[in-house]
Amino acid sequence: MTEFLLVQTAIDSEEAAQRLADSIVEQRLAACGWVSGPIRSTYWWQGVKEEAREWACSFKTRQELYGALEQAIKALHTYEVPEIIATPITGGNPAYLEWIASETLHP
C-alpha cells in the first residue's frame, strides 16, 4: 500500500467545489485541493443517461486520512451518491511528497 493518495470528486457548482476544497484543506485532511472546470459529464443515473456541467476537485493526502476525507466529502457534497475515487501515488518528487506529509493532519 502506498502512503499517498490523489482523491477526486466532482460537484455541481464552482462555489460548492471551492467550499469543499477550502473545508478539506482547512481541516488538514489534504495538503492541497485543486478545483478545475467546468467539465461536462455524461453518465447513467437511475436508468437514465444524464449530462451535467460539473467542477472537478482533486485532493493530495496520506492513505491514513482517507476515511476521514471520504466522510468530510460526503458531509459537504450535494449529490446523493458522490463520486469519491482514490488513486495511489506510486512515485513523485520526494520533497513534494514530504510536503504532503507535513501539511496534513497527524492524529
Side-chain angles (χ1 to χ4, degrees):
M1 186 178 300
T2 181
E3 182 179 355
F4 301 101
L5 299 174
L6 179 64
V7 178
Q8 65 187 53
T9 190
I11 199 163
D12 60 356
S13 75
E14 183 176 9
E15 295 78 18
Q18 193 57 56
R19 277 193 307 273
L20 186 60
D22 288 344
S23 178
I24 298 299
V25 172
E26 180 69 28
Q27 294 177 69
R28 294 198 175 262
L29 295 174
C32 177
W34 286 343
V35 172
S36 59
I39 58 173
R40 186 58 130 173
S41 295
T42 302
Y43 56 92
W44 288 99
W45 177 245
Q46 298 180 343
V48 177
K49 189 175 103 181
E50 302 277 348
E51 291 186 15
R53 185 174 157 175
E54 297 180 298
W55 279 257
C57 300
S58 299
F59 300 99
K60 276 75 77 183
T61 192
R62 292 181 298 112
Q63 171 69 40
E64 68 182 293
L65 295 175
Y66 176 77
L69 176 56
E70 180 183 317
Q71 291 307 310
I73 291 171
K74 286 179 179 178
L76 296 168
H77 212 288
T78 58
Y79 294 175
E80 182 180 338
V81 181
E83 167 198 12
I84 305 172
I85 297 174
T87 304
I89 298 173
T90 60
N93 176 351
Y96 187 82
L97 299 177
E98 178 54 38
W99 172 77
I100 293 173
S102 69
E103 294 301 331
T104 50
L105 182 67
H106 291 271

